[in-house]
Amino acid sequence: MPEQDRNTLLLVLTNKQTRKFYGAGWADVAKSMVAMFRATHDVWAGDPAFTELLMRLRQGSPEFVKWWEAHEIRSTASGLKTMNHPTKGLLRFEHTSFQANDDPSLKLVIYTPV
């Protein structure tokens, strides 16, 4: 995969295979991710890579445009995700996100099978 495409938000919102992976829960996962992305907007608003990512998301996902315009903000989250693996079937994970206090660009997400 090209380096410029290695972005989880971009994959979730614009990649058909990723949508299938999240199945019926895709919209909830994607909307939550947009709201968490929105929370970092002020930190990265002037960064050219951030601007390009916003452009790609707007062009590639009508849902992103709608959710971005809603201005919903969420902090890093924890919860339950269900994923539809192509060979393993339905998988459920509890997840918890951590953000480094001294660097808002660093986040760690831990997934634990249920």
Side-chain angles (χ1 to χ4, degrees):
M1 175 181 296
E3 187 175 338
Q4 67 270 17
D5 294 342
R6 295 178 197 163
N7 180 287
T8 303
L9 185 60
L10 190 64
L11 284 171
V12 167
L13 286 161
T14 65
N15 185 289
K16 292 178 183 175
Q17 291 300 97
T18 306
R19 283 186 183 220
K20 287 180 186 176
F21 187 70
Y22 284 103
W26 174 84
D28 291 334
V29 169
K31 186 176 180 182
S32 176
M33 290 179 72
V34 170
M36 287 186 277
F37 184 60
R38 170 65 80 178
T40 63
H41 178 265
D42 289 343
V43 175
W44 301 105
D47 185 290
F50 184 89
T51 303
E52 182 180 338
L53 178 58
L54 278 173
M55 181 191 69
R56 290 183 69 191
L57 289 165
R58 284 185 176 119
Q59 290 174 346
S61 172
E63 296 90 350
F64 173 80
V65 173
K66 181 174 91 174
W67 296 330
W68 186 255
E69 298 296 323
H71 293 271
E72 183 179 344
I73 296 173
R74 292 188 195 172
S75 62
T76 347
S78 60
L80 184 68
K81 281 189 183 175
T82 301
M83 301 173 189
N84 189 14
H85 190 275
T87 58
K88 302 288 183 185
L90 213 55
L91 303 172
R92 295 172 40 123
F93 296 91
E94 289 180 342
H95 64 89
T96 304
S97 299
F98 302 92
Q99 184 169 347
N101 290 334
D102 57 345
D103 187 346
S105 66
L106 296 177
K107 294 180 184 171
L108 171 68
V109 182
I110 298 173
Y111 288 86
T112 308
V114 175

